Amino acid sequence: MERGDLTNGQWARLEPLLPQGIKPGRPPVWTRRQLIDGIRWRTRTGAPWRDVPERYGPWERVYDLFRRWQRDGTWASSSLSSKLRRTRRA
């Protein structure tokens, strides 16, 4: 776990609020936690998406998750937004 990544406690509070995937098939290569940590790294640093460290997954995958959840309103949902604000302070 790197500086700024979600702790186990923060992840335990956040994970139930996330939308569940509906596609059957092979298991994902990158965990949601890694991808969300990548999104948080990018928004915290303001760096270009292409500079997201590889430990969070390919930048395209991190960006894809961010955009999909931005378009469907996941990031704007009141419970998720408030939970993310609290995890930053913790």
Side-chain angles (χ1 to χ4, degrees):
M1 182 167 57
E2 297 290 323
R3 180 178 160 260
D5 289 354
L6 293 169
T7 65
N8 291 336
Q10 290 169 330
W11 179 247
R13 291 190 308 266
L14 181 63
E15 187 177 27
L17 302 174
L18 301 175
Q20 298 300 313
I22 56 173
K23 287 185 176 180
R26 65 182 176 183
V29 175
W30 303 97
T31 66
R32 280 184 159 188
R33 184 174 178 172
Q34 285 175 291
L35 297 171
I36 291 171
D37 280 339
I39 292 167
R40 293 179 74 239
W41 179 89
R42 194 281 178 186
T43 57
R44 187 175 61 252
T45 63
W49 284 104
R50 290 180 183 264
D51 291 344
V52 171
E54 187 65 28
R55 68 179 173 269
Y56 299 124
W59 74 266
E60 298 96 329
R61 182 69 187 104
V62 175
Y63 176 74
D64 177 60
L65 181 65
F66 173 79
R67 287 295 289 154
R68 271 191 293 127
W69 284 359
Q70 185 180 48
R71 286 184 188 125
D72 73 10
T74 299
W75 294 122
S77 74
S78 60
S79 59
L80 182 60
S81 296
S82 64
K83 190 67 84 167
L84 280 172
R85 278 193 294 279
R86 282 185 290 217
T87 61
R88 278 196 185 145
R89 290 185 219 135

